[in-house]
Each structure stands twice: as C-alpha cells, then as structure tokens.
C-alpha cells in the first residue's frame, strides 16, 4: 500500500474513535441539576447573587 493510503486509513480511524468517544461522553454525562451543589440550592445562590449585584444605570 502507498503511504497516503495508510495515512488516510489511520486518520479515518482516529476520527471515528474521537467521534465515538465524544458521543459516548455526551450520552453518559449526568445533567448539571443531578450533581450536588456544595450545600446550597440553586434558588438560594441565585437570590443571594441578585441581592448583592450592582446594576448599571
């Protein structure tokens, strides 16, 4: 086989592997809401952030 043919087959294999691993990571990922948030709820963090935020005016 020519070098170019081997190179393209190897590149195709690497691309398929990268795409497969990316797809697997997306399928196996847990949603952010399922992860524990260091003792704070989302509502408490959001309300405390808005209470101390400065607004441009």
């Amino acid at each position: 086989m020519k070098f170019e043919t081997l190179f393209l087959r190897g590149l195709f294999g690497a691309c398929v592997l990268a795409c497969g691993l990316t797809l697997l990571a997306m399928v196996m990922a847990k949603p952010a809401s399922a992860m524990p948030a260091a003792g704070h709820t989302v509502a408490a963090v959001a309300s405390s952030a808005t209470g101390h935020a400065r607004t441009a005016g």
Side-chain angles (χ1 to χ4, degrees):
M1 280 191 174
K2 288 186 172 184
F3 171 74
E4 293 86 4
T5 305
L6 289 174
F7 184 76
L8 286 176
R9 282 191 179 195
L11 182 62
F12 178 75
C15 290
V16 168
L17 181 64
C19 290
L21 289 174
T22 303
L23 180 64
L24 182 66
M26 288 190 291
V27 169
M28 299 297 288
K30 294 180 182 177
S33 62
M35 295 181 186
H40 298 288
T41 61
V42 175
V45 172
S47 65
S48 67
T50 56
H52 299 293
R54 291 186 176 186
T55 57

